[in-house]
């Protein structure tokens, strides 16, 4: 019995979690530097978009070469404030991808490097907010069907918070242009307008806008904090205090907005 027990114990193997790895992306043979584009607010992905109309489109038609953008995921829909969209950022700017799937944070977490294949997509300027997706109703940016994600989004290595760009702070943000829209920011020492004090970030029945005042050189910069009524942190009560808020800087026409990702993006400026 003892002998058999020793044999059986020796034959047992402890199975741990399987190794999981995403390989770093290697460009196809023949890819040239000019086949890579960067994100830029005035000349997004190598194409100019007219910002004078509420919604203007430029198509990326199929050609002899694929066009790529290398970027990092900076948004998250884990907190319920983003819905079927994802923001990516490189060293020059950020852009919002319209994707027909919820729970994107499970597949593309913050810090996931991706390669975006631009061929077959459209870039749109919706009230000064740059978006990329499929064409919808011939005039709008629509969501890419989830069955086709792999045609356009290639994961480039394992996700890591080390890949995330350093958030821009108050005086680093260019509020005179839209160059920093769709970038990760950290607004420090902000206060909410008096009408928001004692109220929740969002009401249960509708998305809610509250104005914050951001200290910058020469005064205060007003920014709208827009929170969905589906956000998991919507019931957080706004206090009369200073906050440090992290999120994605967006814009609607000429009004700057902050999209908070999760409740961890909201912290008191001074711990009590």
């Amino acid at each position: 019995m003892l002998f058999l027990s020793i044999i059986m114990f020796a034959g047992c193997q402890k199975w741990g979690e399987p190794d999981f790895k995403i390989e770093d992306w290697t460009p196809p043979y023949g890819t040239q530097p000019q086949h890579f584009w960067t994100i830029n607010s005035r000349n997004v992905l190598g194409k100019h978009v007219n910002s004078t109309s509420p919604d203007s489109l430029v198509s990326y038609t199929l050609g002899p070469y694929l066009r790529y953008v290398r970027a990092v995921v900076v948004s998250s829909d884990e907190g319920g404030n983003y819905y079927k969209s994802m923001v990516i950022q490189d060293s020059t700017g950020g852009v919002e991808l319209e994707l027909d799937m919820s729970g994107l944070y499970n597949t593309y977490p913050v810090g996931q490097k991706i390669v975006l294949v631009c061929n077959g997509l459209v870039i749109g300027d919706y009230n000064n907010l740059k978006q990329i997706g499929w064409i919808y109703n011939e005039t709008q940016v629509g969501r890419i069907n989830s069955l086709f994600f792999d045609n356009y989004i290639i994961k480039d290595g394992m996700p890591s918070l080390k890949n995330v760009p350093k958030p821009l702070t108050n005086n680093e943000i260019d509020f005179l242009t839209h160059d920093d829209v769709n970038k990760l920011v950290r607004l420090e020492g902000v206060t909410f307008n008096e009408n928001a004090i004692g109220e929740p970030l969002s009401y249960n029945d509708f998305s809610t806008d509250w104005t914050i005042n951001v200290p910058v050189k020469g005064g205060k910069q007003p920014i709208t904090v827009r929170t969905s009524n589906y956000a998991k942190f919507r019931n957080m009560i706004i206090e009369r205090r200073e906050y440090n808020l992290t999120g994605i800087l967006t814009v609607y026409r000429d009004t700057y907005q902050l999209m908070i990702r999760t409740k961890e993006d909201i912290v008191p400026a001074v711990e009590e």
Side-chain angles (χ1 to χ4, degrees):
M1 291 287 292
L2 178 61
F3 177 76
L4 288 175
S5 298
I6 293 173
I7 295 297
M8 292 178 63
F9 179 79
C12 292
Q13 296 182 10
K14 292 184 178 180
W15 294 98
E17 293 183 2
D19 291 335
F20 178 74
K21 185 176 182 182
I22 301 174
E23 299 292 338
D24 293 341
W25 179 72
T26 302
Y29 178 78
T31 303
Q32 301 297 318
Q34 62 267 28
H35 300 155
F36 289 89
W37 288 338
T38 57
I39 303 169
N40 181 280
S41 60
R42 292 194 183 90
N43 194 25
V44 179
L45 305 179
K47 294 285 187 178
H48 177 71
V49 179
N50 182 5
S51 296
T52 58
S53 60
D55 204 349
S56 56
L57 298 176
V58 173
S59 298
Y60 298 115
T61 56
L62 293 172
Y65 301 105
L66 295 178
R67 308 290 177 172
Y68 305 102
V69 169
R70 306 186 87 150
V72 178
V73 176
V74 293
S75 69
S76 174
D77 61 356
E78 183 176 6
N81 209 23
Y82 269 93
Y83 179 68
K84 293 189 175 183
S85 63
M86 178 173 77
V87 179
I88 61 173
Q89 182 179 334
D90 67 7
S91 61
T92 68
V95 69
E96 184 178 277
L97 306 184
E98 305 307 308
L99 306 172
D100 196 12
M101 188 173 79
S102 56
L104 289 165
Y105 72 95
N106 291 305
T107 307
Y108 307 105
V110 173
Q112 175 67 62
K113 293 191 295 183
I114 65 125
V115 177
L116 181 70
V117 182
C118 300
N119 302 60
L121 300 178
V122 295
I123 175 74
D125 179 8
Y126 178 71
N127 290 294
N128 288 326
L129 182 70
K130 301 300 188 298
Q131 301 173 322
I132 291 179
W134 276 352
I135 194 166
Y136 176 71
N137 277 348
E138 299 183 355
T139 61
Q140 302 173 42
V141 176
R143 298 184 180 116
I144 302 171
N145 187 291
S146 60
L147 297 177
F148 295 85
F149 283 3
D150 290 345
N151 292 0
Y152 302 102
I153 306 172
I154 304 169
K155 293 182 181 180
D156 185 13
M158 293 291 288
S160 173
L161 293 180
K162 295 180 181 178
N163 298 331
V164 179
K166 183 177 179 293
L168 298 177
T169 55
N170 304 23
N171 291 310
E172 296 172 327
I173 301 169
D174 184 358
F175 289 111
L176 298 179
T177 69
H178 295 149
D179 286 0
D180 292 328
V181 167
N182 279 325
K183 286 185 180 181
L184 183 64
V185 299
R186 176 181 167 86
L187 307 178
E188 299 178 338
V190 307
T191 56
F192 283 82
N193 276 3
E194 190 64 26
N195 65 329
I197 306 303
E199 301 291 339
L201 277 173
S202 181
Y203 299 110
N204 292 332
D205 297 331
F206 53 88
S207 297
T208 310
D209 297 341
W210 298 114
T211 300
I212 58 172
N213 300 294
V214 182
V216 294
K217 292 179 180 177
K220 302 277 189 179
Q221 171 68 43
I223 292 181
T224 298
V225 174
R226 181 169 180 78
T227 307
S228 169
N229 56 311
Y230 292 100
K232 296 177 182 177
F233 50 88
R234 64 185 180 277
N235 292 323
M236 186 176 292
I237 300 299
I238 300 169
E239 300 178 14
R240 185 180 286 104
R241 66 185 310 165
E242 293 184 356
Y243 289 91
N244 293 337
L245 303 179
T246 303
I248 309 299
L249 186 68
T250 68
V251 70
Y252 182 78
R253 297 182 179 174
D254 291 321
T255 301
Y256 280 104
Q257 298 181 330
L258 180 71
M259 290 291 289
I260 296 171
R261 302 166 302 174
T262 65
K263 65 179 182 180
E264 286 74 23
D265 285 338
I266 308 167
V267 297
V270 179
E271 295 289 347
E272 294 181 349

